Amino acid sequence: MAVQAETLDFNDLGFMYRDLPLRYVSTYKDGKWDAGKLVEGNQLTISESSPALHYGQQCFEGLKAYRTKSGDVQLFRVDENSKRLNKSAIRLLMPEVPEEKFIDAVKQVVRANEAFIPPYGSGGTLYLRPLLIGVGDMIGVAPAPEFMFIVFAMPVGAYFKGGLQPARFLASFDYDRAAPFGTGRAKVGGNYAGSMLPGKLARAQGYTDVVYLDPATHTKIEEVGAANFFAITHDNEFVTPKSDSILPSITKYALLYLAEHRLGLKATEGDIYIDQLDQYKEAGACGTAAIVTPVGAITVKGKDHVFYSETEVGPLTQKLYDELVGIQFGDIEAPEGWVFQV
Ligand code: PLP
Ligand code: COI
C-alpha cells in the first residue's frame, strides 16, 4: 500500500524503503525501448527464469531531488548517473538507456511524487532509484531477451545514523568487495550481495561499516560498502583512492573539484596505504546516500587509528560538507552544469 505524505515526519526519515504512489516503467523488447509510463503499485511480474534473478544481470543508480529555499526542486548531476548506468549496462550486456529518456523518467517520477519531497531545512531529500533488470525466459548464462528500466523514489534522511557524527569503520582483510578485474566499477547488485556478510559482522562489533582494501594486495584503501573514501593529509591535501575496482562516485568527483577550487586544497586521486594512516588528519566516506560522513576511526588488525576525533567532525570535512550540501540545496552557486531544475 502506498504511504500517505501526511503520515511522514520529514525531520526524522531515516533511510528506508517507502512505497510511493507512482513509479516509471519502460520495457526493452525486439531491440527497442517502449515509450515508458508512470504506473501505480510496487509489484513486478517477471519470469521465474529472469537472468536478473539468477545471474545478477541488473544494475542500478542512486540520486536525489532537493527542495530549495525558494520551493523549487533540483537534481544534482543526473547526467552523470545516466552515463554510469550505461557503463554498468555495457559491462553486463544490457541495452543502454538514452540519456534523455533517463533524465525525463527521473523528472516524471519527482513531479508525480511531489508531495513526498521533504521541505527545505528538514535535511531530507527525495531519493531516486533507477533500476535496469534483465527479464524473460532464459536459463543458460546469456543475456535476457527483454529488459525493464524502472525509476522509483522515496523520501530519505541520513544513510549512516548520526549524519555528521563521526563513524567507526573496520578494515577488512578477510573479505573483498570486488575482484581486480571484476565488476567493482559497475553499480551492479552482485557487488552489494557480497558485502552483506562482512557488513553484518562489522556492525555486530559496533562498527558502522567495512573499509575494503584493494583486492590484489590488501595494502591500500578502496572504499566502504556503500560510499567512496577520502582523507586529508596534515599538509592539507585531499586524497581519494584511485582504483579500477571501486565505484566511480559522483560525489567523490564533486568533492575533488570543490576541495581544489573552493577550499584551495591540493586534490588528488591516489593511494591511501592502510599502514600509513597517520599521514592523515581527517577522513570521510562520501556518496549520494552517505553525503559526507566523517570517519572517526578505522580499526586495522585490532588497532584503532583515530583521525580528527571520534566525537567531532574535522574542520575541512565540515567545509566540504557545507559546500556540497549548499550547492545541492541551491544555497551556494553550483559549478556550471551540476544542477538540473525539475
Ligand atoms: N561506492 C559505492 C559502493 C556506492 O554504493 C556508492 C553509492 O552510490 C558510492 C560509492 C557513491 O557514489 P555516488 O557518489 O555516485 O553516489
Ligand atoms: C547511493 O548512495 O545512492 C547508494 O547507492 C548507496 C546504497 C547502496 C544505499
Side-chain angles (χ1 to χ4, degrees):
M1 260 275 282
V3 67
Q4 306 281 313
E6 307 76 65
T7 63
L8 294 174
D9 177 359
F10 285 115
N11 295 299
D12 186 21
L13 288 165
F15 193 93
M16 65 175 77
Y17 175 73
R18 289 189 170 95
D19 172 11
L20 299 201
L22 290 161
R23 72 275 301 120
Y24 172 96
V25 180
S26 181
T27 302
Y28 184 91
K29 209 173 168 173
D30 302 326
K32 56 180 191 301
W33 286 107
D34 70 10
K37 59 174 193 264
L38 293 171
V39 297
E40 288 179 359
N42 67 351
Q43 303 292 306
L44 299 175
T45 302
I46 59 174
S47 166
E48 62 191 2
S49 74
S50 292
L53 300 178
H54 297 259
Y55 308 125
Q57 197 189 27
Q58 67 85 248
C59 60
F60 67 100
E61 275 301 320
L63 72 154
K64 289 172 168 173
Y66 303 82
R67 175 82 72 186
T68 68
K69 202 173 198 167
S70 65
D72 294 341
V73 179
Q74 60 186 37
L75 301 165
F76 182 70
R77 309 195 81 176
V78 56
D79 54 333
E80 294 295 329
N81 291 99
S82 163
K83 289 184 176 75
R84 190 171 63 191
L85 181 91
N86 285 338
K87 285 185 186 153
S88 301
I90 289 166
R91 179 65 179 81
L92 297 195
L93 282 183
M94 296 194 279
E96 293 176 56
V97 177
E99 185 167 310
E100 208 176 298
K101 183 179 180 74
F102 182 99
I103 296 176
D104 173 60
V106 167
K107 287 185 176 177
Q108 283 195 46
V109 172
V110 174
R111 288 188 192 118
N113 296 290
E114 233 230 284
F116 295 88
I117 306 171
Y120 173 84
S122 66
T125 53
L126 189 73
Y127 183 72
L128 292 135
R129 179 49 71 85
L131 175 68
L132 177 60
I133 56 176
V135 299
D137 298 346
M138 171 63 68
I139 201 62
V141 181
E146 292 177 19
F147 296 86
M148 291 172 86
F149 173 58
I150 299 158
V151 181
F152 60 92
M154 72 213 75
V156 298
Y159 182 69
F160 291 128
K161 250 194 2 242
L164 262 181
Q165 271 293 107
R168 289 171 61 78
F169 289 84
L170 175 66
S172 172
F173 290 86
D174 299 329
Y175 296 97
D176 293 325
R177 173 185 169 273
F181 300 106
T183 54
R185 285 185 71 73
K187 200 162 170 64
V188 302
N191 297 338
Y192 297 84
S195 75
M196 287 181 192
L197 175 61
K200 180 181 170 179
L201 296 174
R203 279 188 290 277
Q205 296 177 68
Y207 295 99
T208 293
D209 205 343
V210 169
V211 166
Y212 291 98
L213 305 178
D214 72 288
T217 69
H218 292 155
T219 58
K220 297 179 273 187
I221 289 184
E222 289 251 297
E223 63 177 326
V224 308
N228 270 188
F229 181 85
F230 68 83
I232 300 166
T233 64
H234 291 289
D235 54 359
N236 293 334
E237 180 174 351
F238 175 98
V239 188
T240 183
K242 187 168 180 59
S243 161
D244 282 338
S245 47
I246 64 174
L247 191 77
S249 156
I250 296 161
T251 315
K252 183 258 295 284
Y253 286 115
L255 292 179
L256 270 166
Y257 179 91
L258 297 175
E260 183 178 346
H261 297 278
R262 300 270 172 104
L263 271 64
L265 309 179
K266 192 168 174 224
T268 47
E269 286 180 277
D271 293 330
I272 299 180
Y273 287 93
I274 193 70
D275 64 355
Q276 293 176 17
L277 294 182
D278 50 7
Q279 292 184 3
Y280 304 94
K281 58 180 176 181
E282 294 183 37
C286 63
T288 299
I291 316 176
V292 171
T293 300
V295 174
I298 299 179
T299 302
V300 184
K301 293 194 167 150
K303 206 166 157 263
D304 277 6
H305 177 86
V306 177
F307 290 95
Y308 181 75
S309 151
E310 289 218 66
T311 51
E312 277 172 56
V313 53
L316 291 171
T317 305
Q318 177 79 57
K319 278 192 182 152
L320 286 166
Y321 175 91
D322 290 343
E323 194 70 27
L324 175 73
V325 172
I327 289 168
Q328 290 173 330
F329 281 102
D331 296 326
I332 296 177
E333 196 183 337
E336 204 183 323
W338 281 20
V339 160
F340 291 68
Q341 300 302 324
V342 176

PDB file of all heavy atoms in Angstrom, residues 15 60-63 84 127-129 159 187 192 225-227 247 287-291, ligand 2:
ATOM      1  N   PHE A  15      16.796   6.095   6.554  1.00  0.00           N
ATOM      2  CA  PHE A  15      16.994   5.689   5.155  1.00  0.00           C
ATOM      3  C   PHE A  15      16.294   4.356   4.992  1.00  0.00           C
ATOM      4  O   PHE A  15      16.820   3.300   5.318  1.00  0.00           O
ATOM      5  CB  PHE A  15      18.493   5.569   4.841  1.00  0.00           C
ATOM      6  CG  PHE A  15      18.785   5.463   3.376  1.00  0.00           C
ATOM      7  CD1 PHE A  15      19.063   6.593   2.625  1.00  0.00           C
ATOM      8  CD2 PHE A  15      18.782   4.237   2.726  1.00  0.00           C
ATOM      9  CE1 PHE A  15      19.325   6.517   1.254  1.00  0.00           C
ATOM     10  CE2 PHE A  15      19.031   4.142   1.364  1.00  0.00           C
ATOM     11  CZ  PHE A  15      19.319   5.290   0.634  1.00  0.00           C
ATOM     12  N   PHE A  60      21.922  -0.576 -11.159  1.00  0.00           N
ATOM     13  CA  PHE A  60      21.041   0.461 -10.603  1.00  0.00           C
ATOM     14  C   PHE A  60      21.807   1.744 -10.390  1.00  0.00           C
ATOM     15  O   PHE A  60      23.014   1.807 -10.609  1.00  0.00           O
ATOM     16  CB  PHE A  60      20.387  -0.029  -9.309  1.00  0.00           C
ATOM     17  CG  PHE A  60      21.336  -0.247  -8.156  1.00  0.00           C
ATOM     18  CD1 PHE A  60      21.466   0.710  -7.160  1.00  0.00           C
ATOM     19  CD2 PHE A  60      22.103  -1.396  -8.043  1.00  0.00           C
ATOM     20  CE1 PHE A  60      22.326   0.516  -6.083  1.00  0.00           C
ATOM     21  CE2 PHE A  60      22.968  -1.600  -6.976  1.00  0.00           C
ATOM     22  CZ  PHE A  60      23.077  -0.635  -6.001  1.00  0.00           C
ATOM     23  N   GLU A  61      21.088   2.774 -10.001  1.00  0.00           N
ATOM     24  CA  GLU A  61      21.679   4.075  -9.696  1.00  0.00           C
ATOM     25  C   GLU A  61      21.048   4.619  -8.431  1.00  0.00           C
ATOM     26  O   GLU A  61      20.042   4.082  -7.938  1.00  0.00           O
ATOM     27  CB  GLU A  61      21.467   5.064 -10.860  1.00  0.00           C
ATOM     28  CG  GLU A  61      22.513   4.957 -11.948  1.00  0.00           C
ATOM     29  CD  GLU A  61      23.928   5.197 -11.411  1.00  0.00           C
ATOM     30  OE1 GLU A  61      24.099   6.093 -10.574  1.00  0.00           O
ATOM     31  OE2 GLU A  61      24.846   4.476 -11.809  1.00  0.00           O
ATOM     32  N   GLY A  62      21.610   5.690  -7.916  1.00  0.00           N
ATOM     33  CA  GLY A  62      21.032   6.373  -6.771  1.00  0.00           C
ATOM     34  C   GLY A  62      21.313   7.855  -6.918  1.00  0.00           C
ATOM     35  O   GLY A  62      22.445   8.248  -7.179  1.00  0.00           O
ATOM     36  N   LEU A  63      20.278   8.664  -6.816  1.00  0.00           N
ATOM     37  CA  LEU A  63      20.456  10.128  -6.859  1.00  0.00           C
ATOM     38  C   LEU A  63      19.315  10.762  -6.077  1.00  0.00           C
ATOM     39  O   LEU A  63      18.391  10.060  -5.646  1.00  0.00           O
ATOM     40  CB  LEU A  63      20.518  10.645  -8.292  1.00  0.00           C
ATOM     41  CG  LEU A  63      19.219  10.653  -9.110  1.00  0.00           C
ATOM     42  CD1 LEU A  63      19.327  11.740 -10.166  1.00  0.00           C
ATOM     43  CD2 LEU A  63      19.016   9.322  -9.813  1.00  0.00           C
ATOM     44  N   ARG A  84      26.778   6.646 -15.941  1.00  0.00           N
ATOM     45  CA  ARG A  84      27.295   5.495 -15.173  1.00  0.00           C
ATOM     46  C   ARG A  84      26.375   4.283 -15.331  1.00  0.00           C
ATOM     47  O   ARG A  84      26.859   3.152 -15.432  1.00  0.00           O
ATOM     48  CB  ARG A  84      27.461   5.873 -13.703  1.00  0.00           C
ATOM     49  CG  ARG A  84      28.213   4.808 -12.908  1.00  0.00           C
ATOM     50  CD  ARG A  84      28.562   5.263 -11.517  1.00  0.00           C
ATOM     51  NE  ARG A  84      27.371   5.533 -10.724  1.00  0.00           N
ATOM     52  CZ  ARG A  84      27.378   6.136  -9.536  1.00  0.00           C
ATOM     53  NH1 ARG A  84      28.521   6.547  -9.007  1.00  0.00           N
ATOM     54  NH2 ARG A  84      26.257   6.340  -8.874  1.00  0.00           N
ATOM     55  N   TYR A 127      14.986  10.464  -2.525  1.00  0.00           N
ATOM     56  CA  TYR A 127      15.990   9.560  -3.108  1.00  0.00           C
ATOM     57  C   TYR A 127      15.364   8.832  -4.292  1.00  0.00           C
ATOM     58  O   TYR A 127      14.248   8.297  -4.185  1.00  0.00           O
ATOM     59  CB  TYR A 127      16.446   8.560  -2.049  1.00  0.00           C
ATOM     60  CG  TYR A 127      17.526   7.612  -2.509  1.00  0.00           C
ATOM     61  CD1 TYR A 127      18.824   8.055  -2.713  1.00  0.00           C
ATOM     62  CD2 TYR A 127      17.256   6.261  -2.730  1.00  0.00           C
ATOM     63  CE1 TYR A 127      19.830   7.181  -3.122  1.00  0.00           C
ATOM     64  CE2 TYR A 127      18.247   5.382  -3.141  1.00  0.00           C
ATOM     65  CZ  TYR A 127      19.538   5.847  -3.328  1.00  0.00           C
ATOM     66  OH  TYR A 127      20.526   4.984  -3.740  1.00  0.00           O
ATOM     67  N   LEU A 128      16.085   8.791  -5.401  1.00  0.00           N
ATOM     68  CA  LEU A 128      15.586   8.127  -6.613  1.00  0.00           C
ATOM     69  C   LEU A 128      16.435   6.906  -6.899  1.00  0.00           C
ATOM     70  O   LEU A 128      17.661   6.960  -6.814  1.00  0.00           O
ATOM     71  CB  LEU A 128      15.645   9.103  -7.790  1.00  0.00           C
ATOM     72  CG  LEU A 128      14.640  10.229  -7.591  1.00  0.00           C
ATOM     73  CD1 LEU A 128      15.253  11.573  -7.919  1.00  0.00           C
ATOM     74  CD2 LEU A 128      13.389   9.959  -8.393  1.00  0.00           C
ATOM     75  N   ARG A 129      15.770   5.840  -7.241  1.00  0.00           N
ATOM     76  CA  ARG A 129      16.469   4.591  -7.503  1.00  0.00           C
ATOM     77  C   ARG A 129      16.125   4.101  -8.927  1.00  0.00           C
ATOM     78  O   ARG A 129      15.124   3.419  -9.128  1.00  0.00           O
ATOM     79  CB  ARG A 129      16.046   3.559  -6.447  1.00  0.00           C
ATOM     80  CG  ARG A 129      16.654   2.187  -6.556  1.00  0.00           C
ATOM     81  CD  ARG A 129      18.144   2.174  -6.714  1.00  0.00           C
ATOM     82  NE  ARG A 129      18.945   2.531  -5.583  1.00  0.00           N
ATOM     83  CZ  ARG A 129      19.341   1.714  -4.601  1.00  0.00           C
ATOM     84  NH1 ARG A 129      18.963   0.469  -4.584  1.00  0.00           N
ATOM     85  NH2 ARG A 129      20.141   2.149  -3.642  1.00  0.00           N
ATOM     86  N   TYR A 159      21.889   8.323   5.683  1.00  0.00           N
ATOM     87  CA  TYR A 159      22.101   6.881   5.473  1.00  0.00           C
ATOM     88  C   TYR A 159      22.820   6.268   6.667  1.00  0.00           C
ATOM     89  O   TYR A 159      22.379   5.274   7.228  1.00  0.00           O
ATOM     90  CB  TYR A 159      22.920   6.656   4.204  1.00  0.00           C
ATOM     91  CG  TYR A 159      23.150   5.198   3.896  1.00  0.00           C
ATOM     92  CD1 TYR A 159      22.096   4.381   3.505  1.00  0.00           C
ATOM     93  CD2 TYR A 159      24.415   4.624   4.004  1.00  0.00           C
ATOM     94  CE1 TYR A 159      22.293   3.035   3.232  1.00  0.00           C
ATOM     95  CE2 TYR A 159      24.621   3.281   3.724  1.00  0.00           C
ATOM     96  CZ  TYR A 159      23.558   2.487   3.342  1.00  0.00           C
ATOM     97  OH  TYR A 159      23.756   1.160   3.079  1.00  0.00           O
ATOM     98  N   LYS A 187      27.829  -0.399 -11.067  1.00  0.00           N
ATOM     99  CA  LYS A 187      26.897  -0.374  -9.925  1.00  0.00           C
ATOM    100  C   LYS A 187      25.915  -1.522 -10.108  1.00  0.00           C
ATOM    101  O   LYS A 187      24.779  -1.351 -10.561  1.00  0.00           O
ATOM    102  CB  LYS A 187      26.191   0.982  -9.859  1.00  0.00           C
ATOM    103  CG  LYS A 187      25.601   1.269  -8.478  1.00  0.00           C
ATOM    104  CD  LYS A 187      25.323   2.740  -8.307  1.00  0.00           C
ATOM    105  CE  LYS A 187      24.521   3.044  -7.076  1.00  0.00           C
ATOM    106  NZ  LYS A 187      25.194   2.712  -5.813  1.00  0.00           N
ATOM    107  N   TYR A 192      27.015  -5.753  -4.039  1.00  0.00           N
ATOM    108  CA  TYR A 192      26.380  -5.444  -2.760  1.00  0.00           C
ATOM    109  C   TYR A 192      25.995  -6.730  -2.017  1.00  0.00           C
ATOM    110  O   TYR A 192      26.095  -6.786  -0.791  1.00  0.00           O
ATOM    111  CB  TYR A 192      25.160  -4.541  -2.982  1.00  0.00           C
ATOM    112  CG  TYR A 192      25.583  -3.207  -3.576  1.00  0.00           C
ATOM    113  CD1 TYR A 192      25.783  -3.048  -4.936  1.00  0.00           C
ATOM    114  CD2 TYR A 192      25.856  -2.125  -2.746  1.00  0.00           C
ATOM    115  CE1 TYR A 192      26.226  -1.851  -5.469  1.00  0.00           C
ATOM    116  CE2 TYR A 192      26.288  -0.918  -3.265  1.00  0.00           C
ATOM    117  CZ  TYR A 192      26.469  -0.789  -4.640  1.00  0.00           C
ATOM    118  OH  TYR A 192      26.915   0.399  -5.157  1.00  0.00           O
ATOM    119  N   GLY A 225      31.417   0.071   2.116  1.00  0.00           N
ATOM    120  CA  GLY A 225      30.405  -0.753   1.470  1.00  0.00           C
ATOM    121  C   GLY A 225      29.445  -0.002   0.568  1.00  0.00           C
ATOM    122  O   GLY A 225      29.020  -0.505  -0.467  1.00  0.00           O
ATOM    123  N   ALA A 226      29.090   1.221   0.930  1.00  0.00           N
ATOM    124  CA  ALA A 226      28.087   1.961   0.149  1.00  0.00           C
ATOM    125  C   ALA A 226      28.529   3.399  -0.116  1.00  0.00           C
ATOM    126  O   ALA A 226      27.692   4.274  -0.320  1.00  0.00           O
ATOM    127  CB  ALA A 226      26.751   1.939   0.874  1.00  0.00           C
ATOM    128  N   ALA A 227      29.841   3.641  -0.129  1.00  0.00           N
ATOM    129  CA  ALA A 227      30.335   5.011  -0.364  1.00  0.00           C
ATOM    130  C   ALA A 227      31.827   4.953  -0.693  1.00  0.00           C
ATOM    131  O   ALA A 227      32.497   3.960  -0.379  1.00  0.00           O
ATOM    132  CB  ALA A 227      30.123   5.867   0.887  1.00  0.00           C
ATOM    133  N   LEU A 247      33.602   1.907  -7.152  1.00  0.00           N
ATOM    134  CA  LEU A 247      32.574   2.618  -7.911  1.00  0.00           C
ATOM    135  C   LEU A 247      33.027   4.067  -8.123  1.00  0.00           C
ATOM    136  O   LEU A 247      33.410   4.730  -7.159  1.00  0.00           O
ATOM    137  CB  LEU A 247      31.251   2.607  -7.141  1.00  0.00           C
ATOM    138  CG  LEU A 247      30.082   3.106  -8.007  1.00  0.00           C
ATOM    139  CD1 LEU A 247      29.652   2.021  -8.985  1.00  0.00           C
ATOM    140  CD2 LEU A 247      28.909   3.544  -7.167  1.00  0.00           C
ATOM    141  N   GLY A 287      29.131   9.828  -0.697  1.00  0.00           N
ATOM    142  CA  GLY A 287      28.256   9.206  -1.683  1.00  0.00           C
ATOM    143  C   GLY A 287      26.904   9.887  -1.653  1.00  0.00           C
ATOM    144  O   GLY A 287      26.655  10.725  -0.775  1.00  0.00           O
ATOM    145  N   THR A 288      26.041   9.527  -2.567  1.00  0.00           N
ATOM    146  CA  THR A 288      24.714  10.139  -2.610  1.00  0.00           C
ATOM    147  C   THR A 288      23.979   9.905  -1.296  1.00  0.00           C
ATOM    148  O   THR A 288      23.482  10.843  -0.669  1.00  0.00           O
ATOM    149  CB  THR A 288      23.907   9.560  -3.788  1.00  0.00           C
ATOM    150  OG1 THR A 288      24.607   9.881  -4.980  1.00  0.00           O
ATOM    151  CG2 THR A 288      22.505  10.128  -3.836  1.00  0.00           C
ATOM    152  N   ALA A 289      23.914   8.650  -0.871  1.00  0.00           N
ATOM    153  CA  ALA A 289      23.201   8.337   0.373  1.00  0.00           C
ATOM    154  C   ALA A 289      24.006   8.795   1.582  1.00  0.00           C
ATOM    155  O   ALA A 289      23.461   9.389   2.517  1.00  0.00           O
ATOM    156  CB  ALA A 289      22.920   6.837   0.451  1.00  0.00           C
ATOM    157  N   ALA A 290      25.311   8.555   1.569  1.00  0.00           N
ATOM    158  CA  ALA A 290      26.173   8.865   2.728  1.00  0.00           C
ATOM    159  C   ALA A 290      26.442  10.371   2.842  1.00  0.00           C
ATOM    160  O   ALA A 290      26.870  10.831   3.897  1.00  0.00           O
ATOM    161  CB  ALA A 290      27.488   8.106   2.608  1.00  0.00           C
ATOM    162  N   ILE A 291      26.241  11.118   1.778  1.00  0.00           N
ATOM    163  CA  ILE A 291      26.605  12.543   1.660  1.00  0.00           C
ATOM    164  C   ILE A 291      28.094  12.649   2.022  1.00  0.00           C
ATOM    165  O   ILE A 291      28.925  12.096   1.296  1.00  0.00           O
ATOM    166  CB  ILE A 291      25.713  13.468   2.528  1.00  0.00           C
ATOM    167  CG1 ILE A 291      24.220  13.042   2.391  1.00  0.00           C
ATOM    168  CG2 ILE A 291      25.876  14.912   2.108  1.00  0.00           C
ATOM    169  CD1 ILE A 291      23.265  13.827   3.280  1.00  0.00           C
TER     170      ILE A 291
HETATM  171  C1  COI B   2      23.746   5.614  -3.064  1.00  0.00           C
HETATM  172  O1  COI B   2      24.439   6.343  -2.372  1.00  0.00           O
HETATM  173  O2  COI B   2      22.942   6.042  -3.893  1.00  0.00           O
HETATM  174  C2  COI B   2      23.833   4.163  -2.954  1.00  0.00           C
HETATM  175  O3  COI B   2      23.580   3.511  -3.911  1.00  0.00           O
HETATM  176  C3  COI B   2      24.129   3.567  -1.677  1.00  0.00           C
HETATM  177  C4  COI B   2      23.159   2.472  -1.431  1.00  0.00           C
HETATM  178  C5  COI B   2      23.747   1.164  -1.716  1.00  0.00           C
HETATM  179  C6  COI B   2      22.398   2.595  -0.195  1.00  0.00           C
END
